[in-house]
Amino acid sequence: MGEHTCDRGAARESEPDSRELLVGRGAELARLFRAVDSVAADPVLMLVGEMGAGKSALLDQAARRAEAGGARVLLATGSESESSLAFSALHQLLRPVLAGVDGLPERQRAALRDAFGQGSATSGPDLMLIGVAVLSLLSGLGDHHPVLVVLDDAQWFDRASLDALSFAARRLEGEPVTMLIGARDSDRVPGFDRHTPTLTLEPLDDDAANQLLDLRPKSPTGRIRARILDQAGGNPLALVELTRTASTQERAAGPPSAGPLPFPDRLERIFAARLNSLPASTARALLLLAAMDSADWTIAVSARLPCAEDAAWIPAEQAGLVRRTGRGVQFRHPLVRSAVYHAASSGARREAHLSLATMLRDEPDRSAWHRAAACPHPDAAVSAELERTAGRARRRGGHAAAARALQRAAELAPQREESARLLVEAAAAAVFTGDLAWVEELVAAVRTRTDDAALLASATVQAGRLAVLAGRHLRVFSRLADAAEELAVSQPAAGLELLAGAAVVRFYSGEDAQRHRIRDILRRLQANASHAGLRTWVRAVSDPFDDWGQLVSLLPRLAAEAEGRPERLTAVGIMAWLLDETPQAVRAFDEAFDRWELQGALPEGLGGAVAWAYVERGRWEQAREACARITAVGRATGLDHAVACAATVEATLLAFQGEVSSARTRAEEALALVDPLESRSVAVYAHRALGAAAAAEGAYGTAYGRLRMVFTADGAPVHYHASYPALADLAAAAVRCGRHEEAAAIVERSATALAENTSPRLRALISRARGLLADPEDAEPHFRAALADPGLEYWPFERAQTLLDLAEWLRRRRRIAEARGPLTEALEVFRRLGARPWIERARAESRAAGLDVTDAAPDALAGLSPQQQQIVRLAARGLTNREIGEKLFLSPRTVSSHLYRSFPKLGITARSQLRDLIEGHLATAAHQH
């Protein structure tokens, strides 16, 4: 582990040298060289292949190439046992450059130190901040020379490290940093699945396989060669080892007998056969190294293994089992480690682990795992030690490591009830990995160990927490509702919590039959004053427009009770958003995030509500920040549905700001991540975004087609909450493509369905739609009604759209003087928001109304991308590049690059000019708020 160093000595005759391992890999090697030589290449490249395909040898050559070119090379190698130690792989990678941590901003520095167990870790870590810290550190190294990060055997990295590294990897574009990842093709590497460019090592062809055999010291011939080629199947390691075995057998007992040679799947036995003639001191050193299972030689030194120069290693090296480098001793292949370990007796293995536990007592987490490995029977003391290890891992954000430690602690707990308790705790930790199958496995194990109703209910709730965020909503809803119904009498609190999760699933799925099921179960759950907030949540989430007024009246009391409690404030904010009380929602979110900053390791159930509320309120920068966090956490935990939710919000904002191509891409990504029949909410939001993108281009027929898809064939909403806000945009597209009658029927059907439960916001949108669809002489009262409530200024974009519609109607009626006021107000809002298509439309209408609409300086922002606008505004507020990067999950270098490209577009040459440039924007924003 640690920084890459290469043993430049000659390879020994008993093992393959680099020429053999690279035979037939010219194209792959050239691809890796392009990656490390060119900043224009993909910043991240994954190299996958079966065991023995030569991944490590190719990565080593790429590292040598980078070193020769002056790059700083950082290397981490995964190991099976260390996958249970949170952030062990990340610490291994960054150990040589930890001095650079001192130069990071304070919050990033503290987050990284907490992750490595060097800080106080008094509260839960911000996992995204750890990712930003890694990105900043790598980017900072790139200020001096290019950086190559090599992650070998990544399938064995601990989950916390993968989360941080994959976060950084997705943000390396434009950085002088390249990341190469080696992994087995049969193993999933979380965070590096979907979008990572991948190079696959296929089996060697016949020519290359023969060439490799020709390079062996005793090249096989004749029938034996044919058998080796046939059985190896193009696997380089199999070719080398089968050749060695055939040669050994021939020396010992003549040519091998008929029948197959030892097959590659049994290569472990080949390595184990070499152990028989080793000296006892060598065998003991090998067993300790195998039991330790760490590629970090500094751990071996602390465990007091023989130093690399010790004579004990020489026989093992000569047998082709290990290689000695300038940094220590390593097994030549993972199979060697496995062979050494399993060839020893169970007693010898236990003794090795106990020795390591004693020698590593200054590293309590490693020591605990070794004690556990030495336990043939339950042991309360070791179980307790592992539980303490889990606590330390959880405080550092290592949820997967904590869950594994608790699972093993449960196996070692002598009492069945204690074992069940630990399994429930393990399930609670595993929830944050996003691995629903693992959580359900742990919950199933709880059921085999206890009849305790409270523990069983708690286990079910843990599975429910994660199931809510999964994509198969119809199946998940049935499970949650069944469990809630089963617990309604015996464990009503747990039943209500499960029903709250079922309500979230109902929102995502939009399935109407689920509403009736939820209502029936809620009636069966006995009312309790302490559960009032959760009951309100179930009602608001599953059916916000049923008794809307009564639900709204409960919000102030719930907000007061939630004061100072970020999680509960967030829940109040989500309910307020669902009830179209967006100003109250934003206030709750602001207060929650001032204290909490969304530090959860999972996307919140209905977390997209945060982003949508900020969109509606006209605070689009904060909406993007919320989307960035949801996306980062969703990708880290493998929760595609959360990523899709954020993508629809981003797509909508991009469409509003005229980034039409990007908007379509994000909306289509969202649709590709979900089943539209299982996730009607995501589908509706995506179609709304695609409709907005089409409207931004003036393609109103296409826009109408997309928006029509958010209502059923007979005009009912596809989704009981997400469809209604599209009514006005549907009408606007309809009048421009000749679909008045159909659109009017949909609008009136929705108005009738909502009736007295219509929120002021929806009343305004329906009035706007009616004004657009009405005969010209009848339109004005509808537009005036849509603007009548002064509270609607809290939806500035929607209000500005209505103002523009009214102004256009007034001008067409030759009431030009009256049109100028609404036009001026609408244009100011569109400019502040950067809504470029709407700015152009409002400017054209203003010129037709005789207004002077020469561009003010802040309008230069319209030439920037939405992200560049966001960065410019933050820079104008005085934030440094590092502070902006931390806020937007970007590296300081990326922020600097955006600013560099933005200045010419803005007509400025210095950062100090930014404040004056956008002062008008800030003043308008302050007035709006």
Side-chain angles (χ1 to χ4, degrees):
M1 291 189 183
E3 190 167 16
H4 177 83
T5 57
C6 299
D7 179 9
R8 307 304 188 204
R12 297 190 177 267
E13 185 175 311
S14 60
E15 62 186 43
D17 63 25
S18 58
R19 290 181 305 154
E20 295 175 357
L21 293 170
L22 298 174
V23 165
R25 300 301 191 196
E28 293 88 346
L29 193 60
R31 177 68 181 85
L32 291 175
F33 283 176
R34 287 199 302 275
V36 300
D37 289 347
S38 172
V39 294
D42 291 317
V44 182
L45 179 63
M46 178 171 282
L47 181 66
V48 300
E50 64 181 359
M51 180 179 60
K55 299 182 294 296
S56 297
L58 285 166
L59 292 174
D60 180 71
Q61 286 297 306
R64 290 170 185 257
R65 172 85 163 209
E67 281 183 326
R72 183 68 176 268
V73 180
L74 300 176
L75 169 67
T77 303
S79 62
E80 286 183 275
S81 69
E82 291 207 354
S83 64
S84 299
L85 299 174
F87 293 108
S88 59
L90 185 64
H91 187 257
Q92 173 196 162
L93 181 78
L94 299 181
R95 183 197 296 276
V97 294
L98 284 180
V101 174
D102 293 337
L104 295 176
E106 181 180 354
R107 292 178 67 238
Q108 295 179 35
R109 183 169 65 247
L112 208 51
R113 285 178 173 166
D114 285 348
F116 295 156
Q118 300 167 351
S120 58
T122 54
S123 62
D126 185 336
L127 298 180
M128 297 306 101
L129 193 58
I130 294 170
V132 172
V134 173
L135 179 63
S136 297
L137 186 59
L138 295 176
S139 180
L141 291 172
D143 289 339
H144 308 291
H145 34 57
V147 178
L148 175 63
V149 175
V150 180
L151 311 177
D152 198 7
D153 280 329
Q155 74 276 358
W156 288 332
F157 277 27
D158 65 278
R159 180 60 181 271
S161 293
L162 283 173
D163 289 348
L165 289 166
S166 62
F167 177 96
R170 286 190 289 272
R171 291 158 178 81
L172 290 180
E173 187 173 354
E175 301 288 343
V177 181
T178 300
M179 185 179 290
L180 300 180
I181 307 150
R184 292 185 184 174
D185 56 4
S186 59
D187 291 298
R188 175 179 175 266
V189 181
F192 293 101
D193 289 345
R194 188 177 301 277
H195 303 294
T196 307
T198 300
L199 176 62
T200 301
L201 291 184
E202 303 292 349
L204 297 179
D205 60 26
D206 289 343
D207 288 343
N210 275 293
Q211 185 183 349
L212 189 152
L213 292 183
D214 289 339
L215 289 170
R216 296 304 298 151
K218 294 187 181 298
S219 179
T221 60
R223 185 167 55 90
I224 297 300
R225 186 185 188 96
R227 288 168 64 189
I228 290 172
L229 289 168
D230 180 59
Q231 289 183 236
N235 182 286
L237 182 65
L239 287 162
V240 170
E241 295 302 335
L242 289 173
T243 299
R244 190 196 308 272
T245 300
S247 177
T248 301
Q249 288 182 351
E250 190 170 12
R251 286 197 304 269
S257 60
L261 295 167
F263 199 68
D265 284 350
R266 291 157 51 200
L267 284 174
E268 189 176 300
R269 298 185 184 181
I270 298 173
F271 290 123
R274 301 181 198 169
L275 300 173
N276 298 332
S277 59
L278 295 178
S281 60
T282 301
R284 172 173 165 73
L286 284 172
L287 181 56
L288 285 173
L289 186 62
M292 187 182 68
D293 188 25
S294 173
D296 192 342
W297 189 250
T298 58
I299 303 301
V301 170
S302 65
R304 296 199 288 278
L305 265 70
C307 67
E309 293 75 26
D310 195 289
W313 299 112
I314 295 175
E317 189 175 25
Q318 291 173 336
L321 300 173
V322 299
R323 58 165 57 94
R324 292 188 291 174
T325 73
R327 297 292 293 269
V329 179
Q330 295 178 353
F331 284 114
R332 196 167 58 82
H333 193 275
L335 282 174
V336 180
R337 183 254 170 184
S338 180
V340 169
Y341 188 80
H342 292 291
S345 67
S346 58
R349 291 198 297 268
R350 286 197 299 273
E351 182 182 342
H353 283 296
L354 286 173
S355 296
L356 288 167
T358 301
M359 292 187 285
L360 292 170
R361 55 180 171 269
D362 292 336
E363 298 196 39
D365 295 337
R366 295 180 190 276
S367 180
W369 276 105
H370 283 299
R371 291 193 191 283
C375 277
H377 307 294
D379 187 308
V382 178
S383 177
E385 196 172 343
L386 279 173
E387 187 175 8
R388 289 190 291 273
T389 286
R392 288 188 290 269
R394 192 152 38 188
R395 285 192 295 275
R396 302 201 309 273
H399 300 288
R404 288 193 187 96
L406 288 162
Q407 187 174 15
R408 179 63 174 139
E411 293 168 358
L412 294 174
Q415 302 299 320
R416 290 177 64 82
E417 288 299 309
E418 176 67 2
S419 177
R421 180 190 68 80
L422 289 166
L423 285 169
V424 172
E425 290 292 317
V431 161
F432 296 103
T433 69
D435 190 339
L436 182 58
W438 187 15
V439 174
E440 291 177 336
E441 173 193 326
L442 292 166
V443 170
V446 173
R447 295 191 179 110
T448 66
R449 285 169 169 80
T450 184
D451 296 323
D452 184 280
L455 275 177
L456 291 171
S458 181
T460 304
V461 166
Q462 295 305 334
R465 288 179 67 195
L466 183 54
V468 163
L469 299 171
R472 297 298 175 192
H473 298 307
L474 299 180
R475 180 171 63 89
V476 166
F477 179 85
S478 295
R479 286 168 43 203
L480 290 172
D482 290 347
E485 197 165 33
E486 186 178 334
L487 294 170
V489 176
S490 63
Q491 297 287 325
L496 186 57
E497 193 166 347
L498 287 166
L499 194 62
V504 174
V505 177
R506 143 77 170 157
F507 179 89
Y508 288 145
S509 74
E511 176 63 46
D512 200 52
Q514 295 173 357
R515 173 173 62 96
H516 302 295
R517 181 92 191 274
I518 288 171
R519 187 178 294 175
D520 291 343
I521 297 172
L522 192 61
R523 289 195 192 101
R524 295 186 55 194
L525 285 162
Q526 184 175 358
N528 184 311
S530 64
H531 300 158
L534 211 50
R535 293 182 72 90
T536 304
W537 169 274
V538 172
R539 293 173 60 199
V541 172
S542 63
D543 198 358
F545 299 123
D546 178 44
D547 205 0
W548 172 85
Q550 199 265 340
L551 289 171
V552 168
S553 71
L554 296 174
L555 290 177
R557 180 171 62 83
L558 294 175
E561 292 172 353
E563 187 174 359
R565 302 175 67 177
E567 299 92 334
R568 291 184 63 177
L569 278 168
T570 302
V572 171
I574 291 170
M575 287 187 281
W577 172 75
L578 286 163
L579 295 166
D580 274 339
E581 292 292 305
T582 301
Q584 186 169 346
V586 168
R587 285 195 299 272
F589 294 145
D590 285 347
E591 184 180 346
F593 304 157
D594 282 346
R595 299 171 179 269
W596 192 31
E597 296 194 3
L598 274 179
Q599 290 187 22
L602 278 183
E604 289 295 305
L606 286 177
V610 177
W612 280 118
Y614 284 132
V615 170
E616 293 168 11
R617 186 65 184 84
R619 289 163 58 173
W620 291 359
E621 292 176 26
Q622 285 165 291
R624 281 200 173 84
E625 291 171 22
C627 287
R629 181 170 288 274
I630 293 168
T631 300
V633 178
R635 282 180 173 158
T637 49
L639 295 170
D640 287 346
H641 191 269
V643 176
C645 290
T648 61
V649 184
E650 289 182 290
T652 301
L653 285 173
L654 288 164
F656 288 168
Q657 295 191 312
E659 300 286 333
V660 173
S661 176
S662 297
R664 286 199 186 96
T665 297
R666 294 296 283 141
E668 286 162 1
E669 284 176 2
L671 289 172
L673 287 170
V674 301
D675 179 344
L677 296 178
E678 293 260 10
S679 300
R680 289 183 179 87
S681 60
V682 170
V684 166
Y685 289 133
H687 289 306
R688 281 172 50 185
L690 290 166
E697 293 183 310
Y700 293 108
T702 302
Y704 182 81
R706 284 292 182 179
L707 294 169
R708 181 65 183 82
M709 292 173 73
V710 310
F711 295 92
T712 64
D714 61 359
V718 169
H719 188 275
Y720 63 94
H721 186 272
S723 291
Y724 288 127
L727 286 168
D729 291 333
L730 177 81
V735 299
R736 289 169 171 82
C737 69
R739 306 298 289 271
H740 288 71
E741 187 174 336
E742 183 180 42
I746 293 172
V747 170
E748 295 310 317
R749 174 171 179 152
S750 294
T752 301
L754 289 166
E756 69 275 7
N757 283 314
T758 312
S759 67
R761 178 207 178 192
L762 286 183
R763 277 199 298 272
L765 289 173
I766 289 171
S767 293
R768 178 190 168 211
R770 284 169 167 163
L772 288 163
L773 295 165
D775 291 334
E777 61 272 15
D778 300 327
E780 184 173 12
H782 297 300
F783 287 134
R784 299 292 182 188
L787 296 166
D789 189 337
L792 296 174
E793 68 176 353
Y794 294 115
W795 288 265
F797 184 64
E798 292 174 4
R799 177 177 168 82
Q801 287 176 303
T802 307
L803 286 166
L804 181 55
D805 288 335
L806 173 62
E808 289 176 336
W809 180 86
L810 288 168
R811 188 183 64 79
R812 287 196 300 269
R813 307 294 288 179
R814 301 186 182 279
R815 294 161 59 179
I816 294 174
E818 293 177 68
R820 289 171 180 167
L823 275 172
T824 300
E825 185 179 347
L827 183 55
E828 285 179 356
V829 173
F830 294 143
R831 280 175 167 164
R832 174 174 68 81
L833 296 174
R836 279 179 281 180
W838 292 88
I839 292 170
E840 292 307 312
R841 184 174 149 193
R843 288 176 60 202
E845 189 65 28
S846 296
R847 284 193 294 268
L851 288 171
D852 180 8
V853 287
T854 54
D855 286 343
D859 231 9
L861 289 175
L864 306 181
S865 71
Q867 187 174 63
Q868 287 172 337
Q869 291 183 36
Q870 198 173 10
I871 290 170
V872 163
R873 288 192 177 101
L874 293 172
R877 283 163 44 188
L879 274 69
T880 66
N881 288 359
R882 280 185 167 182
E883 290 168 336
I884 296 170
E886 189 172 296
K887 199 171 186 67
L888 302 182
F889 309 112
L890 302 170
S891 74
R893 183 188 308 278
T894 300
V895 173
S896 176
S897 176
H898 278 302
L899 286 173
Y900 178 80
R901 293 197 298 270
S902 299
F903 281 9
K905 298 177 184 178
L906 297 173
I908 62 174
T909 58
R911 196 184 191 106
S912 59
Q913 297 172 272
L914 285 174
R915 182 175 179 181
D916 291 339
L917 178 72
I918 67 170
E919 193 173 39
H921 278 256
L922 297 176
T924 303
H927 174 72
Q928 290 290 330
H929 294 306

